[in-house]
Amino acid sequence: MAERDGPTAGRDRPTEGRAGRLRAGYGAAPWHLLLVTAVIVLAGWVALRLAQEATFGRMLLWFVGAVIAHDLVLFPVYASADRALRAVARDRVTLLNYLRVPALGTALLFLVYSPGILRWGETTHEAATGLTQRPYLVRWLVLSAALFLLSGLAYLLRRRQASRQRSERA
């Protein structure tokens, strides 16, 4: 029986030893289990440190609120938007990636800078920094436009390169 090449090569071999039995039972390599365990221990340590903070209740409330807002509101919204984009783009899967990346960047920038963009706490911001929040919206819009423009240029260059390669083969 010939061995297969590629990323799935050797996965059909019988498991041998403790590591093989662990892989068969756990579903991944032993180092994966160690890494996941270490991350869980680290997260527990951080949670215990935060529990001693006076603002722990507020932080926990914000975290739970963010999880609920993401899972019940934001995820269905961007999953629906992605599904609509896939329906429009159909066979042009690479085009979607050139739309997803700048959209993600724009959304993350909005998430981080939304208090400034929407001018929430304007008086507090001005008292603390001596600056107004007026430039935030314009800067976010310009940066978002630049992200989409660069992504569009990258897409055009990639299409041009692909068409050249096709014409050279023909």
Side-chain angles (χ1 to χ4, degrees):
M1 189 159 152
E3 267 207 46
R4 295 181 304 194
D5 291 331
T8 60
R11 289 193 183 166
D12 296 339
R13 287 190 224 146
T15 56
E16 298 173 5
R18 289 183 184 172
R21 286 193 304 269
L22 178 67
R23 179 184 285 276
Y26 175 64
W31 64 265
H32 184 268
L33 179 62
L34 289 173
L35 184 64
V36 169
T37 304
V39 168
I40 289 172
V41 168
L42 178 66
W45 178 78
V46 169
L48 287 175
R49 295 286 302 217
L50 287 176
Q52 297 169 359
E53 293 290 324
T55 59
F56 175 69
R58 286 184 19 192
M59 284 189 278
L60 183 63
L61 183 64
W62 271 100
F63 181 75
V64 170
V67 167
I68 291 171
H70 175 266
D71 291 351
L72 297 179
V73 178
L74 294 177
F75 180 74
V77 168
Y78 60 74
S80 299
D82 188 61
R83 181 171 285 185
L85 276 175
R86 278 188 284 154
V88 169
R90 291 190 187 142
D91 297 331
R92 298 172 298 197
V93 175
T94 57
L95 172 63
L96 287 179
N97 294 331
Y98 287 93
L99 292 172
R100 286 176 181 151
V101 171
L104 177 65
T106 298
L108 287 175
L109 285 170
F110 182 79
L111 184 66
V112 170
Y113 295 105
S114 60
I117 293 167
L118 301 173
R119 295 184 185 172
W120 292 341
E122 192 167 11
T123 55
T124 305
H125 182 270
E126 193 167 352
T129 64
L131 302 171
T132 66
Q133 291 179 320
R134 289 190 182 110
Y136 280 90
L137 176 62
V138 173
R139 289 176 183 166
W140 175 70
L141 290 172
V142 168
L143 191 54
S144 297
L147 287 173
F148 278 98
L149 180 67
L150 288 174
S151 184
L153 289 173
Y155 177 70
L156 290 176
L157 288 174
R158 174 125 185 224
R159 283 195 59 188
R160 185 176 178 197
Q161 182 183 13
S163 66
R164 280 186 183 170
Q165 288 175 352
R166 274 183 269 154
S167 66
E168 288 174 4
R169 283 187 220 149

